[in-house]
Amino acid sequence: MANIVITGSTKGIGYGLAREFALLGHKVMISGSSDTSVDNALTNLQEAGVVAGHTANVREAAQVQALWDAAETKFGSVDIWINNAGLARTVWSIVDTPSDEIQSMVTTNMLGTINGCQIAAKGMLNRGEGKIFNMLGGGSDGEMFPGMGVYGSTKRGLDYFTNALIKELKDRPLIIAKIRPGMIITEGVVREARADFDNFQKSRKIMNNLVDTVDTVSPWLAKEILATTKSGRKIRWLNGGKIAGRMLMSKIKPRPDQFEAFGL
């Protein structure tokens, strides 16, 4: 059984992964940016298995180090570290994105992941083994979407950063890999859709063919993460073949509306 740390795991796909790992018998340390979010998540996860929590702002290296230290103290070691903490604000063009939102996205997505990789890698190198996974997303392969200029740039940068880390550590006993979870309906997606509902409605039909829920994707991702034994792997839920297949099937039999259950 592995000891696993997941940043940004009080909600969304991070929470879903924490739950799946715990149900599989692994020990999980969840983390969020507020005591309230961590406490609420722990309450909801208490029956899933062995789950502990620690509050940490990933933008601050000292707090990320404290998260690592807390996991080591609680579990004795850290086998898998998942940099999942991220922030998406997708209702503005690049020109219109407020400066504070740009600051939040860049520091959370980029700096937060760099902090996590540096601290986890140092700790794992001292131990002699470990796995680090970085959560990528829309834009990481260079694709462009309306409203995602800043967010997509951070994910594109993370792809470059992860590749660089893979090369730097290629002769060391660590596994560095990427995760592209696809288009998941999370609290953040619902918030963004409501904030720009008219544009959401315009793309709703296409998006409906591509999105999935946390409960659908998390079990598959968790098993793939555990099965990863080679550095440089990209775990990708929504690949080109799946996209093409869904688009083709939608012409034959429309997919049930995935957004209705979320009040959209």
Side-chain angles (χ1 to χ4, degrees), residues 211-232:
V211 298
D212 291 286
T213 66
V214 169
D215 290 344
T216 297
V217 179
S218 295
W220 183 85
L221 287 181
K223 291 178 181 178
E224 292 299 310
I225 289 169
L226 293 170
T228 297
T229 58
K230 184 177 180 180
S231 201

Side-chain angles (χ1 to χ4, degrees), residues 3 7 12 27-28 56 60 64 88 101 104 155 171 173 216 252 257:
N3 301 325
T7 68
K27 297 177 182 178
V28 184
E60 302 292 334
V64 179
E101 297 289 359
S104 296
K155 294 300 183 178
D171 297 322
T216 297
I252 302 172
D257 194 308

Side-chain angles (χ1 to χ4, degrees), residues 188-208:
V189 169
V190 173
R191 179 197 64 237
E192 297 292 285
R194 288 174 175 164
D196 194 13
F197 193 72
D198 289 342
N199 281 328
F200 164 71
Q201 285 292 80
K202 294 177 183 178
S203 59
R204 181 176 188 138
K205 185 176 181 180
I206 293 176
M207 288 180 62
N208 187 62

